[in-house]
Amino acid sequence: MLNIPRIFPITPDALLTKRLYISLIIFTRCLSGNDVFAQSSKGQPVPLFASDKPIRLVINGNITAIRNDRDKQSTYHPVQLEIENNEGALIKMPAKVKTRGHYRKISKFCENPPLLINLSKDASLKGTVMEGQNKLKLVVPCTTNELVIREYLLYKVYNLFTTNSLNVRLTRVILVDSLNRTPVDSITGFLLEPITQAATRNQMVPVDKNGLKPQYLPPSDFHLMAVFQYFAGNTDWSIQYRQNIELASHSVNTPPVPIPYDFDMSGLVGASYARPPEELNLSSVLQRRYRGYCLPSMDALEPVFKLFNEKRAEIEKIYRETTGLSDNYRKRALEYIEDFYRVINNPRKAEKEFTYPCLPEGTGNIVIKGLKED
């Protein structure tokens, strides 16, 4: 008999969640002969994400065709990749790429849509920086290189708080037209750690299920993630639909933890095209809105506030010392961060902001469905 955690209260919603969780357990056991969790071994990131040193990535292919493939169901295009190893040696390998995403795939908003790189199974990757890789998300400038760096920094900030986060690797992306063999563009990007790898190094497996409510996740993990989203000024996420959230679980008997991604709609990134979800009735992404669930008291958030205060110097150092940021943005970002700390360190302000989900007339219970796409 399956042992479902007692964390699920016996309500109609809980029964639905319980059924979803049972389906997850059956699914993962069928995939792995009942040993899926035992096969995960905790360790360091794979070679690609074991260093913060920016690397050079050349994509040689029909760049015009790739950039113009903005259909909802985009297709793969063959390319030749050239990437630096951690030691600086260049490695060439066949691959294919396609555009991905939804909002950033729209040409009037973004010159360069984000890409999904699919490495050839025939490529010799052993002993290279790409060892262990198959499919990789590449984030490239929607409008400017600085926007990529701003979003990259939010991943690095969340890495400060928990290993239940996605690693990133900054890249200098050279786009080469295969027809005339000349560089078309040189842009800044970053590669995003796949959820399977993030789960494995934390002795977990991904949870591929919608319908779980935030209250069923481990409170400490959920509150940390939700306060971080408030810190970033990001409201474009939900647990129920896994909108810009991955889930991973330690075992069949434990609820999954949330792992956030995609921060380009946040106030701290400040993209010109960014808009908050209409349902939230916010005037700008710069307007913060806490989107956790209603809590009977602020006690549950105090450890998170304490942790943010402990990490403050490291966070501000990231924004002070990272190159590639304009002086104007650096100043605005530090002021935006300062405003966050003024809230969490003022009990009256904190209670007003973080009990918002309890207001019956507010938008705290709205679930963002989004348009999830690989």
Side-chain angles (χ1 to χ4, degrees):
M1 181 176 179
L2 295 175
N3 180 20
I4 303 300
R6 292 291 183 183
I7 193 170
F8 299 110
I10 305 303
T11 66
D13 284 338
L15 289 174
L16 172 60
T17 302
K18 182 174 178 178
R19 293 189 191 103
L20 288 170
Y21 211 71
I22 291 172
S23 299
L24 163 70
I25 294 167
I26 294 171
F27 174 73
T28 52
R29 285 184 171 175
C30 287
L31 280 180
S32 60
N34 297 342
D35 291 328
V36 65
F37 294 102
Q39 291 173 3
S40 295
S41 58
K42 191 161 186 173
Q44 297 299 314
V46 293
L48 180 60
F49 299 104
S51 171
D52 283 333
K53 179 184 177 183
I55 54 174
R56 181 173 177 265
L57 172 65
V58 178
I59 302 177
N60 191 325
N62 190 334
I63 303 303
T64 300
I66 295 170
R67 278 177 164 170
N68 291 339
D69 190 355
R70 310 268 183 149
D71 293 337
K72 185 176 181 180
Q73 298 297 329
S74 56
T75 58
Y76 276 113
H77 300 261
V79 297
Q80 183 77 14
L81 292 186
E82 184 178 283
I83 191 167
E84 284 182 335
N85 215 344
N86 285 334
E87 295 75 29
L90 294 176
I91 310 155
K92 294 183 179 181
M93 63 195 73
K96 52 187 179 180
V97 302
K98 70 174 181 177
T99 58
R100 60 179 184 84
H102 176 74
Y103 199 90
R104 283 191 266 194
K105 197 188 279 188
I106 302 173
S107 58
K108 71 176 181 179
F109 297 127
C110 293
E111 179 183 355
N112 300 292
L115 300 174
L116 180 66
I117 299 174
N118 191 339
L119 299 176
S120 172
K121 293 181 179 178
D122 298 328
S124 178
L125 305 178
K126 189 173 178 60
T128 75
V129 70
M130 286 298 203
E131 183 174 351
Q133 302 301 333
N134 179 13
K135 293 182 179 180
L136 284 167
K137 290 181 178 180
L138 174 64
V139 179
V140 290
C142 185
T143 53
T144 67
N145 286 330
E146 182 173 341
L147 283 181
V148 169
I149 298 173
R150 294 180 193 179
E151 185 177 5
Y152 165 84
L153 292 186
L154 279 174
Y155 286 94
K156 301 306 291 182
V157 169
Y158 199 56
N159 290 158
L160 294 176
F161 290 95
T162 176
T163 61
N164 296 329
S165 56
L166 299 181
N167 287 316
V168 284
R169 186 75 183 267
L170 205 61
T171 63
R172 169 56 60 182
V173 183
I174 312 296
L175 302 174
V176 176
D177 185 348
S178 58
L179 298 179
N180 55 28
R181 300 180 183 180
T182 57
V184 174
D185 212 345
S186 175
I187 54 181
T188 299
F190 64 83
L191 293 162
L192 189 61
E193 181 183 33
I195 180 58
T196 51
Q197 293 175 22
T200 296
R201 63 181 168 79
N202 286 288
Q203 293 185 319
M204 298 189 292
V205 293
V207 173
D208 188 17
K209 280 290 180 183
N210 289 344
L212 296 176
K213 286 198 168 186
Q215 292 88 336
Y216 303 141
L217 275 58
S220 58
D221 294 286
F222 176 80
H223 296 326
L224 173 61
M225 184 278 301
V227 172
F228 171 78
Q229 300 279 21
Y230 177 87
F231 161 85
N234 188 39
T235 57
D236 188 24
W237 62 275
S238 73
I239 299 298
Q240 291 89 332
Y241 290 99
R242 290 185 296 131
Q243 169 67 0
N244 297 328
I245 295 287
E246 296 284 6
L247 298 174
S249 181
H250 287 283
S251 77
V252 296
N253 293 322
T254 57
V257 301
I259 301 178
Y261 67 97
D262 248 9
F263 305 118
D264 67 309
M265 291 292 186
S266 68
L268 201 44
V269 170
S272 60
Y273 60 82
R275 300 289 184 273
E278 289 183 14
E279 308 95 309
L280 300 182
N281 297 324
L282 297 172
S283 60
S284 162
V285 293
L286 293 173
Q287 185 179 354
R288 286 185 169 104
R289 170 66 51 79
Y290 182 64
R291 300 200 57 246
Y293 50 82
C294 178
L295 294 169
S297 76
M298 294 291 292
D299 292 348
L301 297 182
E302 288 304 326
V304 181
F305 295 165
K306 181 175 183 291
L307 185 57
F308 264 91
N309 279 315
E310 291 171 354
K311 297 292 183 181
R312 180 172 183 173
E314 292 178 77
I315 293 170
E316 292 179 342
K317 182 179 180 180
I318 287 175
Y319 282 87
R320 285 197 179 97
E321 298 185 1
T322 297
T323 59
L325 301 177
S326 67
D327 291 340
N328 184 48
Y329 170 75
R330 199 185 308 274
K331 179 182 178 182
R332 286 188 289 110
L334 288 168
E335 288 174 351
Y336 196 68
I337 292 170
E338 170 67 25
D339 183 66
F340 166 81
Y341 280 101
R342 278 196 292 265
V343 171
I344 68 167
N345 290 317
N346 183 313
R348 183 175 296 179
K349 288 182 178 180
E351 184 171 4
K352 179 181 177 181
E353 290 293 300
F354 291 94
T355 60
Y356 178 85
C358 300
L359 299 178
E361 70 275 14
T363 60
N365 293 320
I366 288 176
V367 178
I368 304 302
K369 183 174 183 180
L371 293 164
K372 190 176 177 67
E373 188 176 328
D374 290 336

